Amino acid sequence: MKLKKKISAVLALCLALSVFAGCSDTTEEPNEEVMPNVITSGTQDPSADGGDDNGTTVFTGETAVVTDESGNEVTGVNGDVLTERVTEPGQTEATLSPEQLEEIINNTTTQNTQPLVTSEVKSSDRYGYNTLDDNEKALYDAILNAASTMTSKIRVTDSVTLETWAKVFGMVYNQEPQLFWLNSKIKVGRIYFNEVDTAKITEMQAEIDTTVDKILADANKESTTFGKLKVFHDYLVYNSSFELKDGVADYNETIYNAFGHSSSEQGIVQCGGYAKAIQYLCDKSGIECMVITGNRSDGSSHAWNKIKIDGEWYNLDTTWDDPIFSPPVYDYIRYNFFLVPDEWINEKTHINVNKLTLNSGAVINYFTPPTADSTAENYFVKNGLLFDDKDSADAALKKALDDAANSGAHVASIMAGSQEVYDYITSNLITYKKYVMNGHSNVTNLTNNCNEEMLLIQLDLKY
């Protein structure tokens, strides 16, 4: 299934937006890595809340545009204008009663009596869902039902604040990957869609199924969860391109762009798309998985996965194992973030884990993810590529360089078991450059992509 990749450099400048969106202008020298993690905006008008756009019921109560202390409009997901319900002077917000919870669901007006698609995993079996209180679970169920049946408006009580809606809607948007037509715009009581033609959605789902069935057939040849995940990871890396470009925003953070691109060699996918694609495949395979969101160190948004294997949780970041280069490298793959513990990435490379900061300044915690503290299934540990002494690390890196040069691979990597070993290897990088270039005439350069925070020694070969 390996297809020749078309990877484009990030060319656009985006402002950091809240919830699921955010990007930065990253200009890199040739052969320097660009960490792709950007989610771009959609095209629908978020301020339109009337007319005939898929809904037949307008929720009760007045709304107002949310503004900051300076009176400026607060933008939400993908730059849309956030609105909140207006509370009359002296009116207080009450906790939802059971009757009100029932009202949330009963007042969801649907166009379809049956969901367009269903997931193999019930929402009640999802880790994040079970961290919610009863009120939030009811709202989650209502939003999921509305999104599944193409319902654009839900009546909610005044107790459903902007913060509550943003939290619960965000969890549905991130944790239910089958809803590829769901738009990321945030507005209390209002749901937006990328596509409203159910026949078209059915066609798109058929494209997804064709690709996913082939991936699962390959994965099912593997006897271990590690092996299945490697099949999922490798497919996405080899068959996806991260690109920030007008015209691809509608589905680039969904499973459709990851799997439904039968007319082209590459799916244009952003970090949310990579993460949802992994979760979708895991859902199909009975592997417990979730999407985690946060930021990279520059503040721009990011998404990755947590996956459970033999009772232990691990982080998997497929996006960052498929980096963008300029000029492009067409068949580049690495395993730096393949089943890593929290200690290696949390608040180092992956910041503000599962936290959402609205432009109003409110900080929302979607849920606290399960702790990942095992290394047993990590790619380097599993393959005997972690070394605690200098001589073993030196010999292993030279072998990795020879193997890569002989096969035409672009990455030679090992992991140091201590800072001392890492410092020893990285202080002698010029020696390894001479070693591989003198021994392999096809190698024209060797560049350093080591990661000290992870004690990862990665050297990239050019041909």
Side-chain angles (χ1 to χ4, degrees), residues 292-295 304 346-347 350-355 365 367 369:
I292 304 297
T293 60
N295 302 100
W304 62 100
N346 280 8
E347 305 310 319
H350 295 59
I351 313 298
N352 296 326
V353 176
N354 254 14
K355 287 184 172 58
N365 183 29
F367 60 92

Side-chain angles (χ1 to χ4, degrees), residues 165-321:
W165 180 272
K167 173 184 175 178
V168 178
F169 176 84
M171 288 180 62
V172 173
Y173 182 81
N174 287 323
Q175 305 303 325
E176 302 291 344
Q178 72 277 9
L179 302 174
F180 62 86
W181 57 86
L182 181 60
N183 191 281
S184 61
K185 292 185 184 348
I186 288 286
K187 191 172 186 179
V188 176
R190 182 71 166 86
I191 299 176
Y192 296 89
F193 304 107
N194 293 326
E195 178 59 65
V196 297
D197 184 341
T198 56
K200 175 63 174 175
I201 290 174
T202 300
E203 291 177 5
M204 295 168 76
Q205 183 64 52
E207 293 182 58
I208 292 169
D209 291 342
T210 297
T211 301
V212 168
D213 287 348
K214 292 177 182 177
I215 299 171
L216 293 178
D218 284 345
N220 288 335
K221 297 173 185 176
E222 300 292 331
S223 60
T224 65
T225 302
F226 178 95
K228 294 179 191 297
L229 291 172
K230 186 174 181 298
V231 171
F232 301 162
H233 170 278
D234 291 1
Y235 176 85
L236 288 169
V237 171
Y238 283 131
N239 295 279
S240 304
S241 294
F242 186 96
E243 185 174 353
L244 193 62
K245 182 180 179 181
D246 290 340
V248 299
D250 287 347
Y251 297 101
N252 57 12
E253 53 183 294
T254 75
I255 63 169
Y256 180 70
N257 273 25
F259 302 130
H261 52 90
S262 57
S263 62
S264 63
E265 289 188 344
Q266 293 291 304
I268 305 302
V269 188
Q270 295 183 359
C271 58
Y274 283 94
K276 290 177 185 178
I278 288 289
Q279 185 181 11
Y280 189 76
L281 292 168
C282 286
D283 285 354
K284 292 277 188 181
S285 303
I287 301 170
E288 191 169 357
C289 177
M290 66 188 73
V291 172
I292 304 297
T293 60
N295 302 100
R296 49 179 290 194
S297 57
D298 66 1
S300 54
S301 69
H302 192 43
W304 62 100
N305 297 98
K306 272 200 168 178
I307 301 175
K308 194 175 187 179
I309 306 176
D310 296 333
E312 300 287 350
W313 288 94
Y314 300 85
N315 296 280
L316 174 62
D317 191 335
T318 313
T319 308
W320 282 9
D321 279 349

